[in-house]
Amino acid sequence: MTTQLLEGRTILVTGVVTTGSIAYGVARRALAQGARVVLTGLERDLEKARSAAASLGVDDVLPYDATDPEAVDAVVEAIRVRVGHLDAALHAIAFAPRAALSGDMVGVDPVGLEKAFRTSTVSYAETARILQRLAPASGASLVGLDFDATGAWSVYNWMGVCKAGLESLNRYLARDLGRLGIRANLVAAGPIHTRAAGGIPGFEDLLDAWAERAPLPWDPHDVDQVADTVCFLFSDLARAVTGEILHVDGGYHAMAAPLRRRDGAG
C-alpha cells in the first residue's frame, strides 16, 4: 500500500472563503494526500466558509481574526481540543483597500495602509505563533502565500510593499523557528483567478504579461499547481528547506524584460 504524502499530518489552513481560493485548493489537495485539515475564517465569512468546508467533508470552520492578537489564545485552545496538535499551517490572509492597489503611492489613507500591513504581513507572525504553540517536538512547517515583491508592478502598489515585508518576515521567522524544528517558507504564485484577484485593478494586464513572458504555459484558473507545491513544503520531502520563496509562476520571475530595438522592429 502506497503511503500518502501527508498521511497522519494535521494541517491548519486559514483564509478559506470560497471554493475558488488557493487556500481551498490547498485544503483539498492536503486531504487527498491523507492529512487532517482544520479551517479558520473571519466571523463575517463563516457562512460561505462553512459551505466550502462542507464540500471538502470538513465539519466546521473556526472563527479567527488574524489581526487580533487576543484571538490567538482562543484559536489555539479550540484546535488543541479538536485535534491536539498541528504539523503544518498555511497563511492565506491578505487585505488592502482598493485605493492602495493602484494610482500613486503618495496620499493614500495611512489608516488603511496600517490595516493592510497588519492583515497581510504581521498576521503571518501570528500564524507562526499558533503553530509554535501546537507543533510536536519533531517540528512543523509554516507556509505563506506570496506574490513576487522583488520589483514594482504597474498595479499592486502598497500590497507589493506588504508582500516585501512578508518576504523579509519569512526570513526572520525561519531564523527564530529553526531551533524548534519549524520551517518557514513562502510560495510566490503567479496570477490566479480568485476573489482577492477580483479586487486588483488591472488584473487582466497581469494575465496578459504572463501569457507573453512566462516560459511555461500559465493557467490562471488552476489552483492545484500552487496547492501541490504547498503540500510539498508541508511534507518531509522539504525537511531541509526553510527561509525560501518558491516561485510557482511558470518561470515568469526568471525572465528579463524583453529588449526593444531602437528602430522599433522588435
Side-chain angles (χ1 to χ4, degrees):
M1 183 176 179
T2 303
T3 301
Q4 294 172 301
L5 189 65
L6 300 176
E7 186 173 337
R9 304 295 175 90
T10 302
I11 296 171
L12 171 67
V13 177
T14 65
V16 172
V17 180
T18 69
T19 57
S21 67
I22 296 175
Y24 179 90
V26 170
R28 179 166 50 80
R29 298 299 278 178
L31 287 164
Q33 289 296 330
R36 183 175 185 179
V37 171
V38 179
L39 304 177
T40 70
L42 281 171
E43 282 281 359
R44 69 167 185 260
D45 293 328
L46 283 182
E47 185 175 348
K48 290 181 179 179
R50 283 169 175 156
S51 176
S55 70
L56 292 169
V58 176
D59 292 339
D60 197 10
V61 180
L62 300 176
Y64 173 55
D65 180 355
T67 66
D68 178 7
E70 295 182 1
V72 169
D73 289 342
V75 79
V76 165
E77 185 57 28
I79 293 171
R80 183 175 282 122
V81 168
R82 284 168 171 77
V83 296
H85 75 283
L86 289 176
D87 298 291
L90 175 72
H91 176 267
I93 301 168
F95 166 81
R98 191 173 180 85
L101 295 171
S102 63
D104 294 332
M105 294 293 288
V106 297
V108 181
D109 176 19
V111 175
L113 297 182
E114 289 168 6
K115 183 176 182 181
F117 183 71
R118 186 167 190 83
T119 305
S120 308
T121 306
V122 177
S123 66
Y124 186 49
E126 294 298 277
T127 305
R129 190 153 66 103
I130 293 171
L131 184 60
Q132 182 177 343
R133 290 173 60 178
L134 292 168
S138 57
S141 173
L142 173 67
V143 180
L145 297 183
D146 187 23
F147 188 73
D148 186 74
T150 55
W153 298 95
S154 59
V155 295
Y156 218 47
N157 287 19
W158 279 100
M159 181 57 82
V161 176
C162 290
K163 291 299 187 183
L166 180 73
E167 293 179 358
S168 180
L169 174 58
N170 182 66
R171 292 187 284 271
Y172 282 95
L173 287 177
R175 180 198 68 184
D176 291 351
L177 298 176
R179 60 186 172 79
L180 303 174
I182 299 175
R183 297 174 280 118
N185 295 288
L186 298 177
V187 173
I192 296 284
H193 277 293
T194 62
R195 186 179 76 156
I200 301 174
F203 181 74
E204 295 300 323
D205 293 337
L206 288 177
L207 296 181
D208 291 342
W210 251 258
E212 177 182 351
R213 189 167 152 192
L216 291 176
W218 180 254
D219 183 354
H221 298 281
D222 182 10
V223 298
D224 287 349
Q225 57 195 336
V226 181
D228 286 345
T229 303
V230 173
C231 288
F232 157 72
L233 290 172
F234 285 160
S235 78
D236 285 342
L237 294 178
R239 61 190 175 276
V241 180
T242 195
E244 187 61 83
I245 303 170
L246 186 50
H247 292 81
V248 183
D249 64 354
Y252 182 97
H253 74 284
M255 299 297 105
L259 296 176
R260 301 289 181 182
R261 286 173 50 180
R262 290 179 182 270
D263 60 9

